[in-house]
Amino acid sequence: MAAIAGARLASRRTPGRLFLLDHPLFKGGALIMGAGELFGDKMKSAPDRTVFLGLLARVMSAGIAGAALAPRGRERTGATLAVATAVPLAYLTLAGRKRAMARLGQTRSGLIEDALIVAAGAGIVAAVVGRSR
């Protein structure tokens, strides 16, 4: 969501039409939440991403992102595919993160995970936004 909000702040268009993406409060909130996620999951008190509220937030943000990045008129399909991907990945990435934490520690494993996720998200958004000009 933060990558999409950043693209929209840079006046780049996404193929899917979602009115929320044009609201300044939403764009700013998505950027703040993205930064908060980067810092929050390094805390020892951070809950697993598979708790109910974590999964709910993941479902909502995946649905919005999937709809925004889907071709025009296919927003519902994009949202459905994104949610269907995000939920199982929450469990898979949690298992991987726990293994990495045992070897590297919480902060280092979190930084590596964040670097991979930020790069992947920015790359996907850049590729889709670049095609939708």
Side-chain angles (χ1 to χ4, degrees), residues 38 41-42 97 106-116:
L38 293 177
D41 75 342
K42 312 304 174 296
R97 174 75 185 276
Q106 183 168 0
T107 301
R108 190 181 304 168
S109 66
L111 291 172
I112 292 168
E113 180 184 42
D114 288 346
L116 292 171

Side-chain angles (χ1 to χ4, degrees), residues 40-88:
D41 75 342
K42 312 304 174 296
M43 298 170 50
K44 295 205 183 301
S45 62
D48 286 347
R49 63 194 74 182
T50 56
V51 299
F52 175 75
L53 289 178
L55 282 177
L56 180 61
R58 189 171 297 261
V59 164
M60 290 171 31
S61 64
I64 293 168
L69 297 176
R72 181 129 333 157
R74 308 271 325 240
E75 291 90 350
R76 286 186 185 192
T77 301
T80 301
L81 288 173
V83 170
T85 302
V87 172

Side-chain angles (χ1 to χ4, degrees), residues 18-43:
L18 291 169
F19 72 93
L20 281 177
L21 293 176
D22 292 321
H23 195 281
L25 184 63
F26 177 80
K27 287 187 266 194
L31 289 172
I32 290 168
M33 287 176 64
E37 167 67 21
L38 293 177
F39 291 106
D41 75 342
K42 312 304 174 296
M43 298 170 50

